[in-house]
Amino acid sequence: MHSKKVLIILSDAHSFPLKRTSGQDAGKVVDQPSGVFLQELAKPLNKILSAGHEVTFASPKGHEPGLDPSSESLIANAGNFYERQRGNNLIDRMKRENGFNSPRPFSTISNNELTTFAAVFIPGGHAPLQDLGGDAELGRILRYFHEENKPTAVICHGPYALLSTKKAGDGSFVYDGYKITSWSDAEENLMETLWGGEVEKVESTLRKEGAIMVEGVREKTGGTTLHRELVSAGNPLAANALGDRFPRGMGPPDGPGSISLKQEGLDNGDTMNPFVNDPGKSKKGEGETDSVKVKGTVRTDRPQV
């Protein structure tokens, strides 16, 4: 059976910038410890591997990634010691078998090699705020998956990495108009209160670039958002759901090449005809006849009825 390959994007950062708003350091920007959020990586990763796919880890410079310290707490794992242990065991396995400690630098993945990947996944943790949103090489990579309509999954702060597409190609944000769910401003405001500082907001930043941010009770309690090739989720509660939905877009491991979420029948994005609500006359020119596609050949000498 031929496995399909999934590219997993990691941050090299072990911290992110936090502007202090209180205390002796008020007004200063400090490094707040961070990394990849354990369950936002481990749960979808487990689903991908269980579906029979292969994974390749990549990061900006290929540095050893770190786990977000807060994701190792029992609170982050809903008090479930065994859940945390399963996640750590999977990461340890990836270190032994899949080069987790030495990801591929983005620059070493050529455009030709990108064609061998069926999908791309970006987990969360605050680390992407430090080095993914402005990385031109990542922008090149994500533009490929966008242009080829290949499944792309992001969770929590992972959607911030989508901004990298502005650093490549024609400089446009290719997810303009996409429905996206991320770690919300409301959730970030809570973290800011706990830390006594200000953080770059994923939700409002993406909205300014033209994304349609989907943030509600459903999205904060484990729901996911699917638009075209992009499936997104807002926090660790949705990690399992993202892991269930994302691999389906690739089809079976031994299927004929990669297939998109739309081809799989999973796209819930808008398919509204842009001319339906356009006031005035139809876009069809005056005097033009309506036509339909005909399957097969039409005989010009067929009997008239």
Side-chain angles (χ1 to χ4, degrees):
M1 181 173 66
H2 179 67
S3 299
K4 291 180 180 176
K5 294 168 57 179
V6 178
L7 184 63
I8 298 182
I9 302 298
L10 301 174
S11 168
D12 284 331
H14 291 233
S15 64
F16 67 96
L18 175 73
K19 183 178 180 181
R20 292 290 189 189
T21 55
S22 60
Q24 294 181 342
D25 293 333
K28 295 182 179 180
V29 177
V30 300
D31 291 330
Q32 181 70 21
S34 187
V36 63
F37 204 87
L38 175 61
Q39 296 303 340
E40 291 174 354
L41 170 60
K43 289 183 178 180
L45 173 59
N46 181 58
K47 302 280 187 176
I48 292 169
L49 295 173
S50 296
H53 303 300
E54 299 177 1
V55 298
T56 296
F57 297 101
S59 71
K61 303 298 181 183
H63 297 163
E64 182 177 351
L67 294 177
D68 189 320
S70 64
S71 70
E72 297 262 47
S73 70
L74 281 177
I75 294 177
N77 291 273
N80 191 330
F81 170 84
Y82 298 102
E83 186 74 24
R84 181 179 66 181
Q85 191 61 45
R86 280 193 292 270
N88 280 316
N89 287 344
L90 180 57
I91 299 304
D92 287 341
R93 174 187 160 195
M94 293 298 99
K95 291 177 180 179
R96 296 191 306 269
E97 301 176 4
N98 289 77
F100 180 83
N101 278 346
S102 53
R104 293 277 304 278
F106 294 153
S107 61
T108 68
I109 303 175
S110 67
N111 291 338
N112 185 58
E113 185 180 359
L114 282 176
T115 65
T116 68
F117 291 98
V120 62
F121 166 49
I122 310 175
H126 281 77
L129 299 178
Q130 180 75 288
D131 64 352
L132 295 187
D135 191 285
E137 284 294 323
L138 178 57
R140 171 181 64 87
I141 290 170
L142 291 180
R143 277 179 171 270
Y144 164 77
F145 285 95
H146 168 73
E147 291 165 2
E148 295 299 319
N149 200 32
K150 289 186 175 183
T152 301
V154 290
I155 185 171
C156 197
H157 290 77
Y160 192 81
L162 302 177
L163 295 168
S164 65
T165 57
K166 295 178 59 182
K167 301 296 182 179
D170 62 4
S172 64
F173 180 54
V174 301
Y175 302 99
D176 183 5
Y178 272 60
K179 294 178 181 178
I180 301 174
T181 294
S182 71
W183 184 253
S184 68
D185 288 359
E187 290 168 309
E188 202 68 272
N189 288 337
L190 176 60
M191 299 307 299
E192 288 178 329
T193 300
L194 295 174
W195 288 327
E198 294 178 347
V199 183
E200 178 84 5
K201 307 294 193 301
V202 180
E203 177 190 353
S204 55
T205 300
L206 290 175
R207 182 178 289 113
K208 288 177 183 177
E209 296 297 335
I212 301 170
M213 302 308 293
V214 182
E215 305 290 347
V217 174
R218 173 186 170 277
E219 287 71 34
K220 297 300 100 180
T221 55
T224 63
T225 298
L226 179 63
H227 195 164
R228 300 173 188 165
E229 82 278 6
L230 182 68
V231 57
S232 58
N235 59 38
L237 293 177
N240 268 327
L242 184 80
D244 285 331
R245 197 171 201 183
F246 175 51
R248 292 204 305 268
M250 291 182 283
D254 55 352
S258 63
I259 62 175
S260 71
L261 294 167
K262 180 178 285 294
Q263 290 169 315
E264 184 70 7
L266 298 174
D267 186 12
N268 61 1
D270 290 336
T271 56
M272 181 181 68
N273 186 323
F275 300 143
V276 168
N277 296 320
D278 190 31
K281 65 182 181 181
S282 165
K283 296 294 180 179
K284 179 171 67 65
E286 291 289 342
E288 292 182 13
T289 58
D290 291 319
S291 63
V292 296
K293 290 183 178 179
V294 181
K295 186 176 182 180
T297 303
V298 177
R299 290 176 51 201
T300 57
D301 61 343
R302 68 186 186 279
Q304 299 298 313
V305 179

